[in-house]
Structure formats: structure tokens, C-alpha cells
Amino acid sequence: MTGIRLTAPAPGWAIDADVVVVGSGVAGLTTALRCAAAGLATVVVTKARLDDGSTRWAQGGIAAALGEGDTPEQHLDDTLVAGAGLCDETAVRALVTEGPDAVRRLIETGAHFDTTDTGAIALTREGGHHRRRIAHAGGDATGAEISRALVEAVRSAALHTIENALVLDLLTDAEGRTEGVTLHVMGEGQHDGVGAVRAPAVVLATGGMGQVFSATTNPPVSTGDGVALALRAGAEVSDLEFVQFHPTVLFLGADSEGQQPLVSEAVRGEGAHLVDASGTRFMLGQHELAELAPRDIVAKAITRQMLLHGTEHMYLDARHFGAEMWEQRFPTILAACRAHGIDPVTEPIPVAPAAHYASGGVRTDLRGRTTVPGLYACGEVACTGVHGANRLASNSLLEGLVFAERIAADIVDGPRTGAGAASRTPVAEPAGTRTVPLLTAESRTAVQRIMTKGAGVIRSGGSLAVAAGELDALQRAAAAADKDGPKDAVPGVEAWEATNLLLVSQVLVAAARQREETRGCHWREDRPEHDDDVWRRHLVVRVDPYLRPVVRTTDSSLFPPVRTGDPADSALPAGLPNHPADAPEEP
């Protein structure tokens, strides 16, 4: 335990449950449905509305060996290649073998996938896949359909849900075991203000952290809240340096910030070409799969071409599709392009890479358990070892499905309170709890610009060192304002989000500085080659009591065991101090 929490009012209300699931994407809702079906008192907490998570924005589809001639073993091979030597093969094998049946259960839940004339599921290809194994819905609206089906199932099951609620921190007992979460309801939910859900099992399914960067495909709610909460609670994170930048995001201008429209990999899967301003294809000869190479390779190729030509974007040419194919297969992308003045039927689409997916996250075992007893993580917030250094396209929705079912099975065997009713019993804070100085709302933009410049698609030791210094300066300024008063930042959603973004950014930069090589979607221009002898291994990070990242390197490429249940297992690894020797005195 770090004994550190966000600065926030004391909880004014509480709910008791067996399990609280934080997040309402495919990972969170699947976990909640399975737990509720087993008779557990289940509460779902979500930051916006139930259907406003990252899942809704997934265009391409969900990967599984469902087609004739395809096998889990082939899916495994493609995943391992994309992961650049850092996938946990045991986790990948669980994903690809359990995946097809998990998709079938999703269909039984009510999700409708596009089918062929014979009634079979229609399958397409995406980058890194050697076979057609991507199931899609509504052409390019797969996530929206999955979200619809799961939200309807949750409402039909009458699960207790709390919408418009930002999770703040983990509640723990004196031994560091999970007791629930604190949260803030933003005026439109069942309760107002700060409260708590008390439960012996907490599942983080909070999605990604794309808002760390200025331009991202992630929705505004993706501010790394789950990773930040886990770090403050003493959990380990891993592989956070591997941020996947999607190669083909609609270019809206150099100054565009926030969520950007995605141009799905499935467009390239159907035969679109990447070209420069003269119409020349530049992926030919760079990889055997050309435009369908793994995402890190395509993103780097586009970035190289941009640097070579001195331009801010390249083009995706799919004019040969014709109007009918665009309207039937990619209606969402077509509408988004036209809304911004681009008609893909008659002109190439300007594209550039943007932050898309966190391959790393809160470290878990194969049952979704973190290094904090009772705390689970699932989906993009988690690091199961499946993705390695670079996620294979469309494995994310599948990971959410498969590991959600594994988590639910583990929780069903755990302790229950048999509760679920509202309570006015005060929520006690452990002795020695300290609070984090909050950043101002305006600091969010500062964090994003620091990260985009210093830790974006192209990184170097120098750029990362500058980013680390500037992030630390933001933290020192917040601490000084908090100490000297009056406070510049008052507790609230914008300040909490900015503070979470800062912590996640500091840990990401610390890991990226230590990994002195290029691997997967981590591109160090000063270290352009990968080094298996030294770096085919994982970086595991905790924060010390002063929120400073403490990074250790594993002994091999094997994903290290996650030890839970015994308080000693939550301690820092042998040989590491509880905090750096030069840690400052408490402010």
C-alpha cells in the first residue's frame, strides 16, 4: 500500500455489494453479467452513460478463429508475431482457444454480427492477420452493436448501475485487502457527490489512457483513471511504454486535439492503399503484408514518409471501392469523412497516426487478479501479457470477453456479503493516509502537449528526459500551491482527471526511458534496433510513497507470476527500497 489518495471530500453515502465493476465496455459489462447470473450482488459504476465507453467506438471488429480452415494455433502465431517477443504465450493460448466460444456466447447475449448469403458470420482481415478472422457488425460499427447488446442485457437483468460517476480510489483494510471504491457522482446519477461502494472484489474495466496525448482515437473519458487508482493502491503495472498509435486516423489539422475520427484497419483489409501526395504506394517492399503489416510497422512507415516529405500526413486511397461498397461496408467512416469535407469515394483520405491503445496496464494473472488482493483488472486497463509490445488488430474486444469470464469465475468462488442496499455507515480512512496535491484543470492540456512532443510515435532519450522534467515540474507546482495556499486546484472531476493523467504519464515516461531499444510500438530513434539479449523482458513499475516510479526489469521474457492473497506478496520485490534514497521529506 502507498497510503495515498486523491484530495476529495469524505464519502457521504455508501452501498454494500459483493462485487463492484468500474467501467461499462465489453470487459466490464461481461464481468458484471456473469457475476450477477451467479447470484452475486453486483454494482456497475461508469464514468458517463452505460453505452459511452471505448467499446462503442470500435470499428473493425472482434478477432476469433471462426472461419473454415482457421485455427486457434494460427491466431496464436499471428498474435505472437505482432507482440514482438513479449507476449505471454500461456495468456495468448487462453485467448485464442476460449475466444470462439466466448464470441458465440456474446451472440447468445444478443449481439448481431454481419453474415454472408449462407448465414455464416462474415469475416474480414486486418493488419497482422494471415486469415480472414475478424467478425464485424453494421459494416464498421462493431463496438456499437456489442455495446448495445450488453447494455440491453444489463438493463434486462436489472443490475444496480451508477452512471456519470468518476471512480476515485480503492478502499482497503489494514492488511491492504480490497474493501471497495470511492467515487464521485456528477449530478445526474442516483447519488450526488462523493460516496463509496463497499465490496470485497473490485474489477477495474476503465478502458484506456489515450487522453494522455493531444490527439487520440479514445473518447474524452479515457484519462487513465483505473491505472492511476491501481498505482496509488500499491498495484504493479507493466509494459506501459507500449502505446499503440493507430496508423490511419483522419487528419484534421496539425492543431487538432482530443478525440479524432478513426479510419478502421478494415478499410486496408478490404484493399485500400497507403500513398504519398503523388499517389505512390510506399508500403510495398517494407513488409510481406504491405498495408496489412502490424500496426507499429505501418505507423512508423507513415511517420517516416511524413518526415521525408516534410508533410503532416499521408493518404489512404480507397476510391476503387466505389460508392456502393463505401455505403454498405463502411457507412460510419464515410459519414465521418464527409462531415469533415472529405469524400472517400472521389478522393484519398488524409491520415496520420494518433494514440489508440495501451498494450500495457495494471498487471494481472490469468484470472485477472492484480498484485492487490481483491482487485481485478480487465480490458484495456489491464496487462494480461496477451499483447506484448504491440496489440494485434481486433484482439482487444476478444481479450475483454475472455478475461471477463475468467474474472467472474474467480470472484464467484470468493467471499460474499449478501448486500447491495444503501448504507449511511461512515467509510473509515486507514491511518496514515495522505492526499495527492491536485493539478488545475488547465494542466491537462500541458500534460498532453508534453507527452505528444516527448513520448509520441517517435521518442528518444533526450525527448523523454525533457518530458520527465516538465512533468515533474507540474507535480512540484501543484505541491507548492497545495502547501502555501490558497489552493489553485479545487477537488472536482477536471482536477482529478488531470492529476490521474500526470501520474500515468510519469510512469509511462519512466518505463520508456529505461527501455533503450526499439520494439513493437515503442520507437526510440536513438536506439533504432531491438536487443533481445538485454531487452526481451518486461518492465514492472510501482510508485513509492512519494508517487515516484520504481521500475524493475524481469529476468526473462516470461510474464512474472502475480502474487496475491498474502500481505507479503504486496510488498515491493526483494532488493528494491520502499522509496528512492533521495526521496524528499513529506511536504
Side-chain angles (χ1 to χ4, degrees):
M1 291 186 296
T2 64
I4 301 176
R5 296 187 183 181
L6 290 171
T7 301
W13 52 269
I15 293 171
D16 292 327
D18 294 319
V19 55
V20 54
V21 177
V22 186
S24 60
V26 61
L29 295 188
T30 300
T31 305
L33 287 167
R34 298 293 184 270
C35 288
L40 294 176
T42 303
V43 175
V44 176
V45 175
T46 187
K47 194 172 178 181
R49 306 295 295 179
L50 274 181
D51 61 353
D52 276 347
S54 295
T55 292
R56 182 166 69 91
W57 299 97
Q59 294 176 345
I62 184 167
L66 297 165
E68 184 178 352
D70 197 7
T71 65
E73 200 69 26
Q74 294 176 69
H75 189 182
L76 180 142
D77 289 343
D78 285 344
T79 301
L80 295 180
V81 169
L86 285 185
C87 295
D88 182 316
E89 186 169 339
T90 304
V92 178
R93 195 169 295 280
L95 177 83
V96 300
T97 56
E98 298 173 21
D101 283 343
V103 172
R104 294 182 184 103
R105 284 188 289 273
L106 179 61
I107 293 171
E108 292 171 1
T109 302
H112 302 292
F113 289 94
D114 296 341
T115 58
T116 65
D117 294 339
T118 63
I121 296 176
L123 301 172
T124 189
R125 281 181 65 194
E126 291 184 2
H129 293 272
H130 282 79
R131 283 191 174 273
R132 286 183 170 264
R133 65 169 66 98
I134 316 300
H136 50 84
D140 57 0
T142 309
E145 170 58 18
I146 290 174
S147 179
R148 179 205 63 77
L150 291 174
V151 167
E152 285 189 8
V154 164
R155 287 176 174 156
S156 296
L159 265 66
H160 190 153
T161 61
I162 304 175
E163 299 180 307
N164 302 296
L166 170 64
V167 67
L168 300 176
D169 281 296
L170 192 72
L171 294 171
T172 56
D173 64 16
E175 286 73 42
R177 296 180 182 275
T178 296
E179 286 194 326
V181 292
T182 56
L183 62 151
H184 172 76
V185 180
M186 295 175 265
E188 299 178 22
Q190 204 168 355
H191 310 271
D192 289 335
V194 175
V197 181
R198 296 182 293 205
V202 171
V203 181
L204 296 178
T206 51
M209 54 185 190
Q211 292 294 327
V212 160
F213 297 94
S214 297
T216 177
T217 63
N218 290 188
V221 295
S222 297
T223 50
D225 307 315
V227 172
L229 174 151
L231 285 165
R232 289 193 297 271
E236 293 179 348
V237 303
S238 187
D239 299 353
L240 215 61
E241 66 272 29
F242 297 117
V243 177
Q244 187 178 85
F245 287 78
H246 198 287
T248 53
V249 175
L250 182 62
F251 180 75
L252 301 180
D255 297 327
S256 296
E257 297 182 339
Q259 186 177 11
Q260 311 287 302
L262 176 66
V263 182
S264 169
E265 196 140 327
V267 177
R268 281 176 282 136
E270 296 293 351
H273 302 145
L274 283 165
V275 299
D276 59 21
S278 67
T280 302
R281 292 178 66 183
F282 54 83
M283 286 304 302
L284 295 176
Q286 297 208 30
H287 190 276
E288 62 171 345
L289 296 176
E291 279 88 357
L292 287 178
R295 288 178 176 175
D296 63 305
I297 293 172
V298 180
K300 291 172 188 175
I302 292 174
T303 303
R304 287 192 188 101
Q305 290 295 315
M306 289 161 53
L307 293 172
L308 178 65
H309 294 281
T311 60
E312 296 172 327
H313 62 83
M314 287 289 112
Y315 294 92
L316 186 65
D317 192 351
R319 289 175 290 180
H320 54 284
F321 285 5
E324 183 177 357
M325 182 174 174
W326 267 110
E327 290 164 0
Q328 293 183 1
R329 181 67 179 86
F330 302 111
T332 306
I333 298 170
L334 178 63
C337 289
R338 285 177 170 171
H340 291 283
I342 303 296
D343 189 350
V345 177
T346 60
E347 58 187 318
I349 306 168
V351 293
H356 182 58
Y357 191 88
S359 292
V362 184
R363 197 164 78 82
T364 75
D365 64 10
L366 294 183
R367 289 180 281 177
R369 301 182 303 173
T370 74
T371 50
V372 175
L375 179 65
Y376 297 79
C378 191
E380 190 173 356
V381 70
C383 182
T384 62
V386 160
H387 303 308
N390 185 40
R391 175 179 67 93
L392 180 65
S394 288
N395 268 355
S396 53
L397 293 175
L398 190 70
E399 184 194 30
L401 274 182
V402 168
F403 285 88
E405 293 184 344
R406 285 175 160 256
I407 287 173
D410 195 71
I411 293 174
V412 167
D413 294 331
R416 307 189 188 192
T417 65
S423 169
R424 289 291 172 183
T425 305
V427 176
E429 282 197 355
T433 297
R434 296 189 298 123
T435 56
V436 180
L438 299 179
L439 269 66
T440 62
E442 293 75 20
S443 298
R444 175 174 179 148
T445 300
V447 170
Q448 292 171 331
R449 290 178 178 171
I450 290 168
M451 291 297 289
T452 298
K453 183 177 180 180
V457 178
I458 303 177
R459 306 164 177 176
S460 69
S463 74
L464 290 166
V466 170
E470 292 177 341
L471 294 171
D472 288 347
L474 289 177
Q475 186 178 40
R476 289 195 299 271
D482 184 65
K483 183 176 181 179
D484 299 334
K487 293 182 179 180
D488 290 329
V490 296
V493 172
E494 292 181 337
W496 290 323
E497 286 184 334
T499 304
N500 284 340
L501 285 172
L502 174 63
L503 177 56
V504 172
S505 297
Q506 289 175 308
V507 172
L508 191 161
V509 168
R513 292 181 74 183
Q514 183 146 331
R515 184 173 290 280
E516 295 182 332
E517 65 158 358
T518 290
R519 182 181 297 271
C521 50
H522 171 66
W523 184 8
R524 285 279 299 260
E525 62 177 342
D526 56 334
R527 305 279 183 169
E529 305 298 327
H530 69 265
D531 184 348
D532 281 348
D533 291 339
V534 177
W535 288 114
R536 192 180 174 191
R537 53 203 66 200
H538 301 271
L539 298 179
V540 178
V541 189
R542 287 180 183 267
V543 294
D544 68 20
Y546 304 94
L547 289 184
R548 290 186 172 186
V550 179
V551 187
R552 69 180 171 100
T553 306
T554 61
D555 294 331
S556 73
S557 63
L558 297 177
F559 210 54
V562 173
R563 298 167 297 182
T564 62
D566 186 329
D569 288 344
S570 294
L572 284 169
L576 285 179
N578 287 327
H579 56 83
D582 62 345
E585 294 182 0
E586 181 179 348

